[in-house]
Amino acid sequence: MTSLNQDIKNKLKRLNVFEKIIVINLVVFLLGLIYRPLLEWFELPSSFNTFILQPWSLVSYAFVHYEFMHILFNMLWLYIIAQWILNLFNPKMALNIYFLGAISGAVLYVLVYNLFPDVFMNSRLVGASASIRALLIFLCAYMPHKEFRFFTLSIKLWYIGLAIVILDVLGLISGIKDPIYGNSGGNIAHLGGAFLGYLYAKQLARGTDIGKGFEKFVDAIAGVFKFSNRKPFKKVHKNKNKVGGFNKSDFNEFNKQKKIDIILEKISKSGYESLTKEEKEFLFRAGK
């Protein structure tokens, strides 16, 4: 049993950040099958008065799925998009887009439902679609002229992004006309996530990472729960394996990240196709 637990821990450590999110979603889904009322505390309510009593639902709703097809398609999309985005960008920034997309979708959902109560019936929002939309539209807006190969067709990413947004708008209109069988809430959240992804991409292309503030906020919260094991007055020995104050592995990682930043800056200015074969291969290896 100990060997099995250690093997599971080792496999989990090797997963990338989005594969870990997929695992969390699957665990939550299974918990919902066992005892559904437990997950109701994590759903996002459309009523503002209810929402303020469970503010954590601004993010937690993105981990809740009840239908098998819902979680299947969401997790497949997330896995596919993750391979792209982690090959080009660092995991922290990708997570910023993911969670800010969830928050943006949630905020728009609550706002619309409370501003137009005569149009939309009270409901509750679940699912990771807004986060996934944010990642997808981010890629489409950041590299609009990058071509996606679909069998014999080559389609530019911005066409794909535009088509997805149009489908969400049509879905919203359809949901208003048929509130019983439509999915107005889901489409509103999709548009909120899409807006965040587009805004993030355009600001990043101008040299501004709008997720840095959110990243610092999350790091600060995580720091509260970290306890240091370092003892006072501990003697520090000089490490001969350091380069410029860094461990050799840290120094190599620093150089690797600098090279990635330079390549990403080149993409933002001239597009993905401007990269040399060596630069594309380096980005591919870096994302592994």
Side-chain angles (χ1 to χ4, degrees):
M1 182 63 70
T2 303
S3 176
L4 177 61
N5 290 338
Q6 189 61 44
D7 186 47
I8 293 173
K9 287 180 180 179
N10 291 335
K11 287 181 178 179
L12 288 174
K13 285 180 180 179
R14 289 195 292 269
L15 298 178
N16 66 47
V17 290
F18 286 117
E19 288 171 342
K20 289 175 182 177
I21 286 178
I22 291 172
V23 170
I24 295 171
N25 273 276
L26 292 174
V27 171
V28 173
F29 175 72
L30 293 175
L31 288 175
L33 293 179
I34 296 170
Y35 188 62
R36 179 167 180 155
L38 174 67
L39 301 189
E40 291 177 0
W41 282 96
F42 300 99
E43 300 172 351
L44 178 69
S46 60
S47 168
F48 183 77
N49 291 332
T50 307
F51 162 69
I52 59 176
L53 298 177
Q54 49 184 99
W56 58 84
S57 63
L58 201 65
V59 172
S60 63
Y61 82 93
F63 292 91
V64 179
H65 299 80
Y66 291 121
E67 297 177 6
F68 176 73
M69 296 305 292
H70 190 197
I71 191 171
L72 175 64
F73 282 107
N74 270 354
M75 295 305 102
L76 281 174
W77 269 110
L78 179 56
Y79 181 79
I80 293 168
I81 296 169
Q83 308 311 307
W84 276 40
I85 202 162
L86 292 178
N87 278 339
L88 298 171
F89 304 95
N90 67 69
K92 275 198 170 184
M93 194 182 80
L95 284 176
N96 290 343
I97 300 168
Y98 184 85
F99 284 108
L100 285 174
I103 293 170
S104 181
V107 169
L108 185 62
Y109 169 80
V110 174
L111 279 176
V112 170
Y113 268 74
N114 286 275
L115 288 173
F116 305 100
D118 296 331
V119 179
F120 302 98
M121 298 188 302
N122 280 340
S123 65
R124 301 177 77 86
L125 182 66
V126 297
S129 301
S131 299
I132 296 167
R133 281 294 191 283
L135 291 172
L136 180 57
I137 298 302
F138 169 83
L139 286 173
C140 294
Y142 193 78
M143 299 184 297
H145 301 294
K146 171 67 178 174
E147 293 186 342
F148 174 77
R149 193 77 174 172
F150 183 73
F151 294 104
T152 59
L153 298 175
S154 294
I155 308 172
K156 290 185 178 180
L157 285 183
W158 81 269
Y159 288 133
I160 296 175
L162 180 62
I164 289 171
V165 171
I166 290 173
L167 288 174
D168 284 333
V169 172
L170 293 175
L172 173 58
I173 295 171
S174 174
I176 294 173
K177 291 180 178 179
D178 187 1
I180 302 299
Y181 296 101
N183 184 26
S184 297
N187 284 289
I188 290 170
H190 294 173
L191 292 171
F195 172 76
L196 183 281
Y198 179 84
L199 179 65
Y200 206 121
K202 291 304 178 183
Q203 289 300 311
L204 187 66
R206 295 186 179 99
T208 302
D209 185 346
I210 63 174
K212 282 298 181 183
F214 175 75
E215 184 180 320
K216 290 177 182 178
F217 173 73
V218 172
D219 288 343
I221 293 176
V224 173
F225 298 96
K226 288 183 179 179
F227 297 92
S228 175
N229 293 321
R230 291 177 294 179
K231 297 180 181 180
F233 309 113
K234 184 177 179 180
K235 187 176 179 180
V236 179
H237 297 277
K238 186 176 180 181
N239 190 341
K240 295 181 180 180
N241 292 321
K242 287 190 174 184
V243 180
F246 293 93
N247 290 326
K248 284 187 176 180
S249 59
D250 292 339
F251 184 74
N252 290 335
E253 184 64 27
F254 175 78
N255 280 338
K256 176 182 175 183
Q257 186 58 51
K258 289 296 292 183
K259 188 172 181 180
I260 291 174
D261 291 341
I262 291 171
I263 294 174
L264 291 178
E265 184 177 356
K266 184 176 179 181
I267 293 174
S268 68
K269 290 181 178 179
S270 308
Y272 182 80
E273 296 304 326
S274 66
L275 299 184
T276 64
K277 180 181 178 182
E278 291 73 18
E279 288 171 334
K280 291 178 181 178
E281 289 178 351
F282 176 81
L283 271 183
F284 179 79
R285 290 195 304 271
K288 291 294 185 180

